[in-house]
Amino acid sequence: MTSESIREQQGILKEQYRTQPSSAIQTMTVTGNVSQSTYTIKLPTHAGEVEAGLHTAAGGSGTHACSGDMLLEALVGCAGVTLAAVATAMRITINKADVTATGELDFRGTLGVDPNASVGFNNLQLHFNLSTDATLESEAKLISLTEKYCVI
């Protein structure tokens, strides 16, 4: 896909969404199949079925995908494609870009060990390592807009 074709395609969509706002609303759905005996869930993905299970810090075997990792993967995926689209809109050439998401989980919370321990991610961070043809100021704007427009 060329930068011109994505601009053209998105231009058509933007105009449609301006004139027909309800057409911009998309309901996304995923349904998984739970196995209580193995503490897993089979999830359909665009790349095939994934079986998610408990993280090793919650008693899992480590042989299944972890939903925490999958959440970070989704964030990195969203940020990466958004970065590429925003860079195209800003006419910035990306020579290399790495996106990393990190977050801390306190497993005392999810295992009910400490009622005051949080359940879920804390200190969630998104890091960008970029090599572009842009100025540092333009790169900062690129990152800011990426964070603004990434749906996750």
Side-chain angles (χ1 to χ4, degrees), residues 13 24 52 123:
L13 290 170
N123 198 25

Side-chain angles (χ1 to χ4, degrees), residues 8-141:
E8 181 181 332
Q9 181 62 34
Q10 287 185 344
I12 293 167
L13 290 170
K14 287 178 182 182
E15 182 57 31
Q16 175 187 327
Y17 298 158
R18 282 186 196 98
T19 60
Q20 302 168 17
S22 63
S23 71
I25 309 300
Q26 301 286 318
T27 300
M28 301 173 77
T29 303
V30 174
T31 301
N33 184 283
V34 175
S35 171
Q36 186 176 8
S37 63
T38 59
Y39 306 106
T40 61
I41 184 166
K42 291 182 181 176
L43 303 163
T45 75
H46 291 85
E49 190 174 76
V50 171
E51 190 168 16
L54 293 171
H55 188 278
T56 56
S61 66
T63 60
H64 299 101
C66 166
S67 56
D69 290 334
M70 293 168 69
L71 179 68
L72 295 178
E73 292 162 357
L75 176 56
V76 167
C78 183
V81 298
T82 304
L83 178 82
V86 171
T88 298
M90 293 178 67
R91 300 197 186 314
I92 293 173
T93 299
I94 296 175
N95 301 315
K96 183 172 179 0
D98 293 319
V99 181
T100 304
T102 61
E104 296 174 351
L105 290 171
D106 184 342
F107 282 89
R108 296 175 304 161
T110 193
L111 290 176
V113 172
D114 180 349
N116 296 317
S118 65
V119 175
F121 278 104
N122 289 303
N123 198 25
L124 195 58
Q125 296 180 20
L126 196 54
H127 304 274
F128 297 87
N129 183 13
L130 303 177
S131 170
T132 73
D133 65 352
T135 65
L136 289 178
E137 182 179 314
S138 291
E139 279 189 4
K141 181 71 171 177

